[in-house]
Amino acid sequence: TLTCETDEEVAGTCLAVAEKLTSSQFGSIDEVNDSGRLNAIALSDPGWDECKMPRSDAVHLLKDIEIRGLWGKVFRHEKSVIINDPSSHPDRVGTPEGHPVIMCFLGVPLKYADKTIGVIGLANKESGYDVADQQAIETLSVAFVEALNRKRAEEELKKHRENLEDMVEKRTAKLEEVNAELESFAYSISHDLRAPLRAMQGFSQALLEDCYDELDARGKEYARRIDASALRMETLIQDLLNYSRLSRSEIELKPVNLDSVVDNILKQLDTEIQNKDALITVDRPLPEAAGHKATLEQIVENLITNALKFVPFKEQSNIHIWAEESGEMVHLWVEDNGIGIGPEHHERIFCIFERLHGIERYPGTGVGLAIVKKGIEKLGGRVGVESTPGKGSKFWVELGSIHS
Ligand code: ADP
């Protein structure tokens, strides 16, 4: 088999083999191009130094040559041609000045799907060509056409793959750019919304405090509603700002003690835990992991807050926190005995603003788990959930171990 890098190498190797098999002095392989003329795809060196053709034409592969002369005969007959006496042959057109004189010639067509697509031309075997030479080159020509087609198909495929990779790369870059643009847009909008919001809050407070007695029952109710809506908007804006701030921040991984992360958050949520009479157990000691303290605190806070929140009405929440270290990974688990989540929602709850409940029963903005996901991805980790409705949820985050 011919193992070569490019189709020209395949042709060069084939020509060298053909010359050797037939003890020819030189030769060429030519292929018919789209305009019915010949392109040389392999050309041996018959001593070009002597040749008076412009060097550039001689040494480089000739392109777009008219089909004529001895070569033309191969195409006319679509069969191999042996000419051991070319000087007296009617098809002879002669060679350029300085081109070695052709003493004898063997031309074998290259065939593909019964069509003559080119020719292997060999010249100047000392004793002249015979049928054995012809048969050897005919066999070679079949193998060559096959190898050439295979090589071209491979090259085509490679080109396609490269094009595809290039396209994906460009699209990804474009997506990242658009994403960054959107995030900075969200950031500046959230930021700019804070000023008018503060004005609304100021005036609704003024109504509720300074003008309270002048309002009738309906007025008081409206003022309270404005105040509540403004408060909700404030939470939304704050969450959005936290989310986009996280996207924009650069994070450097450091060993972080998960015990202290969990401790800090439990302390921070102490009042809420007491109010809900929640039972929280932690399997100590938790390991260290490669992370970023503030980001991990934000992640753990959101997971515990959800575990406290999504419990059936009036039930006590039991939360269990533990970690597993295996090889290069640390998994931190937060398990609750809450309402659970149907498997069809396990992915979408991590998208921003995705919520499964009305805010009256379970208040929230739908940003918490999106922050968890973005945060953990910033740390090179992953997040997921295992849950069945009515049976509680187990959220996990995966981080790199400090031993990896
Ligand atoms: P929020 O808590 O503000 O609603 P999140 O992004 O934190 O937003 O959560 C998205 C949704 O995922 C929640 O609205 C809830 O439906 C579901 N969810 C999250 N955590 C839990 C949990 N521990 N148990 C049950 N459902 C949960």
Side-chain angles (χ1 to χ4, degrees):
T1 39
L2 301 166
T3 49
C4 304
E5 283 299 311
T6 63
D7 57 349
E8 283 189 0
E9 263 182 65
V10 175
T13 309
C14 172
L15 181 60
V17 172
E19 284 170 358
K20 207 152 187 189
L21 279 174
T22 54
S23 312
S24 298
Q25 279 177 12
F26 55 89
S28 70
I29 301 182
D30 301 80
E31 202 181 17
V32 184
N33 65 19
D34 291 340
S35 37
R37 293 156 72 88
L38 287 183
N39 287 352
I41 53 173
L43 192 62
S44 66
D45 182 351
W48 293 117
D49 282 351
E50 302 295 313
C51 185
K52 298 289 180 301
M53 284 163 77
R55 200 173 163 75
S56 58
D57 286 354
V59 180
H60 297 296
L61 294 178
L62 298 169
K63 301 285 178 224
D64 216 30
I65 322 155
E66 190 187 342
I67 300 181
R68 57 186 192 142
L70 303 178
W71 275 254
K73 188 164 182 199
V74 178
F75 282 96
R76 269 201 313 281
H77 295 276
E78 304 210 34
K79 280 201 304 233
S80 300
V81 170
I82 292 179
I83 298 161
N84 282 328
D85 180 17
S87 55
S88 64
H89 201 278
D91 290 311
R92 181 173 187 265
V93 287
T95 48
E97 199 192 339
H99 187 293
V101 175
I102 294 180
M103 318 290 288
C104 54
F105 172 78
L106 168 62
V108 172
L110 298 173
K111 298 243 182 188
Y112 183 66
D114 276 344
K115 258 183 71 186
T116 302
I117 57 160
V119 58
I120 302 181
L122 296 164
N124 294 8
K125 176 182 182 178
E126 226 151 82
S127 55
Y129 292 98
D130 54 30
V131 178
D133 293 323
Q134 181 186 324
Q135 283 171 348
I137 301 308
E138 281 172 353
T139 309
L140 182 70
S141 106
V142 174
F144 169 64
V145 171
E146 231 169 71
L148 192 68
N149 283 340
R150 191 168 347 111
K151 183 53 68 186
R152 285 184 178 162
E154 265 171 34
E155 280 172 11
E156 196 72 5
L157 210 66
K158 201 167 133 217
K159 231 189 300 163
H160 268 305
R161 195 173 311 129
E162 281 167 1
N163 276 350
L164 218 64
E165 279 168 6
D166 192 47
M167 225 165 77
V168 169
E169 213 170 274
K170 281 197 187 124
R171 289 242 167 127
T172 312
K174 184 83 202 154
L175 265 179
E176 275 167 8
E177 192 185 306
V178 170
N179 219 3
E181 224 168 80
L182 271 176
E183 273 168 7
S184 87
F185 181 64
Y187 185 83
S188 52
I189 287 205
S190 320
H191 204 268
D192 293 352
L193 281 176
R194 288 202 299 192
L197 176 66
R198 263 197 298 273
M200 275 168 64
Q201 282 174 314
F203 285 115
S204 70
Q205 291 288 321
L207 277 176
L208 286 169
E209 284 163 18
D210 307 342
C211 315
Y212 195 75
D213 294 336
E214 293 156 45
L215 293 173
D216 61 6
R218 200 155 26 137
K220 286 175 183 153
E221 173 60 16
Y222 288 170
R224 261 195 299 274
R225 286 206 191 174
I226 294 172
D227 196 51
S229 292
L231 186 65
R232 172 151 174 79
M233 192 160 167
E234 188 188 323
T235 323
L236 258 169
I237 287 177
Q238 197 50 50
D239 279 356
L240 257 180
L241 278 173
N242 286 343
Y243 179 79
S244 46
R245 211 173 272 139
L246 191 62
S247 318
R248 295 145 66 91
S249 64
E250 283 298 320
I251 284 175
E252 196 190 331
L253 294 188
K254 288 199 175 118
V256 176
N257 186 322
L258 295 178
D259 263 325
S260 85
V261 168
V262 170
D263 279 343
N264 287 350
I265 297 310
L266 290 182
K267 233 176 268 158
Q268 199 177 301
L269 296 177
D270 191 47
T271 323
E272 209 179 326
I273 294 169
Q274 304 267 340
N275 287 347
K276 297 213 160 173
D277 200 20
L279 187 71
I280 301 191
T281 49
V282 184
D283 291 355
R284 311 254 189 202
L286 297 171
E288 286 192 311
H292 177 263
K293 195 148 189 272
T295 309
L296 276 172
E297 286 184 349
Q298 214 171 1
I299 289 170
V300 169
E301 181 189 345
N302 287 337
L303 291 180
I304 298 182
T305 310
N306 282 347
L308 286 168
K309 179 163 64 176
F310 294 102
V311 278
F313 194 52
K314 283 200 173 150
E315 270 188 38
Q316 186 192 37
S317 64
N318 285 330
I319 301 174
H320 182 202
I321 299 170
W322 79 100
E324 291 166 343
E325 195 167 11
S326 56
E328 303 195 330
M329 296 301 171
V330 172
H331 287 88
L332 181 71
W333 292 81
V334 178
E335 178 176 10
D336 63 51
N337 62 337
I339 56 174
I341 303 155
E344 69 277 22
H345 305 305
H346 287 186
E347 293 225 351
R348 85 172 169 102
I349 50 171
F350 293 99
C351 298
I352 194 159
F353 300 135
E354 289 287 351
R355 312 195 69 241
L356 308 178
H357 313 276
I359 51 167
E360 297 73 28
R361 174 67 190 90
Y362 296 107
T365 55
V367 181
L369 288 180
I371 287 183
V372 169
K373 187 166 157 71
K374 175 135 283 182
I376 197 75
E377 281 170 358
K378 279 253 159 185
L379 304 179
R382 300 185 305 155
V383 57
V385 65
E386 291 174 9
S387 177
T388 316
K391 299 226 163 86
S393 310
K394 282 196 251 181
F395 281 84
W396 56 266
V397 292
E398 182 187 83
L399 293 158
S401 152
I402 54 161
H403 308 300
S404 63

